[in-house]
Structure formats: structure tokens, C-alpha cells
């Protein structure tokens, strides 16, 4: 566990350095961020450090170790991996202005709160697959939520008065390199579709695990409830997009609602128990 804390601390430092290396030239030269080969290699190294910390924390000899901070960290890491591959084909440089500080903060929080529980039935192959898919759903929905926030900022910039353009700060100038708003929305809904598919697999594998372990089709607990609500929210958003052309603020609200519900499915509840109420696994 101590090695995991060290790696998460190193990941926080690496993400912080990358964030500064991206932000300082914007402040100094007033130009939009640009990811060169050196930066991409540095980001990949940070992801490897972060992933190593997660591997050392979750895969233990006695079973799978999961905590609220670890779940948040693993989901964000998978989201960052998705971003890294997406950025090879699309100019998403400015999204890092949100992702990197968030990744640094989450890595630091995970180093400070490494506690968790050992998952029962960790030798069940279905459970391992279910946990992996669930973490992927966290990551994809998290990146989609951040992308939705970025689109809202882009939309606000687009509708700013002409006389205010010359007064825009470095943050708004950094957004100038982003693709057009319609392209961003297309990418957002691509992420949401992926997140919905992975979330559907999460629900299906969860049912399979429940049948094998407890002989229940759908367990009556808060994780199942919030996961199903998140699944319904993302599904409704995709239907609304298809039938009514939902976009803009409507898409932002539904995306954030779906992500928050998924966050509450595990991370939020464990945070309340472990940190606020100071209750352990048997509290």
C-alpha cells in the first residue's frame, strides 16, 4: 500500500508539472496550448506512473482492494487514457486545462486517503470483469462530463459581445485552438454513446455476478439504484438527441446528471462512510 501512495504522489506531481508546462506559455505568450511529441511522451509517462499506483493498490494477494478514492482515481485514469488516444486524431489540447489539474488533485487525494475494503468473491471471474467494465464506465462518463463543461465554455465564448473579444483572458485565448463547436458536440455524443454502451455492459455483468453470488437478478442496494438511474439518464439523453436534437445546455445538464448519479453509485457513498462518518468496512 505504501508503494501505491508513493506512485500516486508522483503521479500528482507529474500531472501538476504538465499542467504548468501547458499553462505558463499561455500566460506568457498569449497563444493556445499545443501538444508536441515531448509533452505527449510526458503525459504517457504520467499515465504509466498513475496506472502502476492503481495496480499496486487494487491487486493485492488477499483479493481486490477498492475504496472511494481508488474508484475515483481508476475511473479518471481510464478517462485520461481514452483522451490520450483521442488526442492523436483530434485537436483536444485545451481539454487538458481541465483534465490535468483534476488528475493531479485526484491522485493527491488518493495518496492521502488510500483506505478501502477487500472485495469478497474476488476469485470470481465475472466479478473481475464487472469491476473493470464499471471503472471504464466511470472514466468515460467523467471525460464526457468534463467535455460537456468545456463545450459550455466554448458556447459562452461564441456568444460574447464583439467588444469583449479584445478583453478576453488567457483561458479564452487557449480555447481558440479547439475544433468548431459542432465538431465538439459530435465528439461529446460519441463519448456518451461509448459510456452508455459500457454502462449497459456494467449493468449486465452486475446481473450475472448477482445471480452467481447471491441468486438475485437485481440486488436491492444503493449502488444498483444509482447505476440504473445513471444508465436511464444517459439513455434518455441519447434518445432526446436522436428525436429532438438536444444539444447545448440541455446536453450539459443531462450529461452532468448522469455522471453525478454514477459517481454516487460507489464513490460518493464510500466517501460519506469512510471520511465524513469515519466508518470502516464493518462500521
Amino acid at each position: 500500500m505504501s508503494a501505491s501512495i508513493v506512485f500516486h504522489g508522483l503521479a500528482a506531481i507529474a500531472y501538476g508539472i504538465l499542467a504548468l508546462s501547458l499553462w505558463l506559455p499561455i500566460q506568457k505568450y498569449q497563444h493556445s496550448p499545443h501538444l508536441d511529441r515531448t509533452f505527449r511522451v510526458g503525459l504517457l509517462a504520467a499515465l504509466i506512473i498513475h496506472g502502476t499506483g492503481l495496480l499496486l493498490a487494487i491487486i493485492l494477494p488477499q483479493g481486490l482492494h477498492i475504496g472511494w478514492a481508488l474508484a475515483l482515481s481508476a475511473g479518471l485514469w481510464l478517462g485520461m487514457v481514452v483522451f490520450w488516444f483521442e488526442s492523436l486524431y483530434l485537436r483536444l489540447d485545451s481539454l487538458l486545462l481541465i483534465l490535468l489539474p483534476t488528475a493531479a488533485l485526484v491522485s493527491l487525494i488518493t495518496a492521502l486517503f488510500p483506505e478501502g475494503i477487500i472485495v469478497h468473491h474476488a476469485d470470481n471471474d465475472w466479478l473481475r470483469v464487472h469491476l473493470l467494465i464499471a471503472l471504464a464506465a466511470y472514466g468515460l462518463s467523467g471525460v464526457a462530463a468534463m467535455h460537456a463543461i468545456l463545450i459550455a465554455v466554448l458556447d459562452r465564448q461564441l456568444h460574447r459581445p464583439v467588444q469583449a473579444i479584445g478583453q478576453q483572458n488567457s483561458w479564452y485565448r487557449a480555447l481558440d485552438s479547439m475544433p468548431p463547436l459542432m465538431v465538439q458536440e459530435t465528439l461529446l455524443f460519441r463519448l456518451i454513446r461509448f459510456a452508455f454502451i459500457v454502462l449497459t455492459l456494467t449493468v449486465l455483468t452486475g446481473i450475472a455476478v448477482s445471480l452467481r453470488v447471491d441468486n438475485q437478478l437485481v440486488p436491492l442496494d444503493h449502488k444498483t439504484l444509482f447505476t440504473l438511474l445513471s444508465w436511464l439518464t444517459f439513455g434518455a439523453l441519447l434518445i432526446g438527441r436522436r428525436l429532438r436534437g438536444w444539444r447545448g445546455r440541455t446536453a450539459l445538464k443531462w450529461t452532468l446528471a448522469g455522471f453525478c448519479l454514477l459517481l454516487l453509485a460507489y464513490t460518493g457513498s464510500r466517501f460519506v462512510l469512510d471520511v465524513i462518518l469515519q466508518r470502516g468496512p464493518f462500521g
Side-chain angles (χ1 to χ4, degrees):
M1 184 61 66
S2 59
S4 170
I5 295 174
V6 171
F7 273 97
H8 270 95
L10 291 174
I13 294 172
Y15 287 134
I17 292 174
L18 288 171
L20 287 175
S21 70
L22 199 65
W23 185 255
L24 289 179
I26 297 173
Q27 292 287 345
K28 185 176 181 180
Y29 301 109
Q30 304 296 323
H31 63 65
S32 58
H34 177 68
L35 307 187
D36 56 19
R37 181 176 297 180
T38 302
F39 188 95
R40 292 185 185 278
V41 171
L43 180 56
L44 180 60
L47 290 173
I48 292 173
I49 294 172
H50 190 176
T52 302
L54 288 170
L55 183 66
L56 293 173
I58 295 176
I59 308 297
L60 299 180
Q62 59 269 39
L64 297 178
H65 175 252
I66 295 292
W68 68 270
L70 280 172
L72 193 61
S73 178
L76 182 61
W77 178 79
L78 285 167
M80 290 287 290
V81 171
V82 170
F83 165 83
W84 193 87
F85 282 105
E86 286 280 0
S87 68
L88 297 177
Y89 305 100
L90 290 172
R91 287 292 304 274
L92 303 174
D93 305 354
S94 296
L95 185 56
L96 283 175
L97 296 174
I98 300 175
L99 284 176
L100 285 175
T102 303
L105 179 60
V106 169
S107 297
L108 180 60
I109 289 174
T110 307
L112 295 175
F113 298 97
E115 299 84 5
I117 61 173
I118 301 297
V119 179
H120 299 294
H121 307 288
D123 56 342
N124 188 309
D125 291 336
W126 276 103
L127 178 58
R128 293 180 179 179
V129 171
H130 171 67
L131 289 175
L132 180 61
I133 294 175
L135 291 175
Y138 274 120
L140 285 169
S141 61
V143 172
M146 292 183 188
H147 203 141
I149 293 173
L150 183 62
I151 287 176
V153 176
L154 285 168
D155 183 67
R156 182 181 177 184
Q157 182 188 21
L158 185 65
H159 291 89
R160 297 187 79 196
V162 176
Q163 61 269 23
I165 295 178
Q167 303 172 359
Q168 62 184 6
N169 58 29
S170 300
W171 164 254
Y172 285 105
R173 291 191 184 96
L175 301 177
D176 291 339
S177 67
M178 298 296 287
L181 198 58
M182 294 300 294
V183 176
Q184 293 294 329
E185 285 195 345
T186 300
L187 176 59
L188 171 64
F189 278 93
R190 184 193 304 172
L191 286 170
I192 293 173
R193 289 189 194 96
F194 286 154
F196 181 73
I197 292 171
V198 176
L199 197 53
T200 302
L201 293 176
T202 301
V203 173
L204 294 177
T205 54
I207 292 174
V209 171
S210 181
L211 287 173
R212 287 173 175 264
V213 174
D214 299 321
N215 290 321
Q216 289 183 329
L217 181 64
V218 179
L220 301 177
D221 54 32
H222 69 278
K223 290 189 290 294
T224 303
L225 173 63
F226 282 116
T227 300
L228 289 175
L229 287 175
S230 177
W231 179 76
L232 290 172
T233 301
F234 282 120
L237 172 57
L238 291 174
I239 293 174
R241 169 74 170 184
R242 179 77 174 178
L243 299 181
R244 310 187 101 182
W246 285 357
R247 56 190 297 266
R249 294 183 179 179
T250 301
L252 171 65
K253 292 177 182 177
W254 281 81
T255 303
L256 292 180
F259 173 66
C260 289
L261 287 168
L262 192 58
L263 199 64
L264 288 172
Y266 183 81
T267 305
S269 61
R270 290 311 311 179
F271 176 79
V272 172
L273 292 175
D274 297 346
V275 178
I276 297 178
L277 299 181
Q278 297 293 312
R279 288 171 56 184
F282 306 101

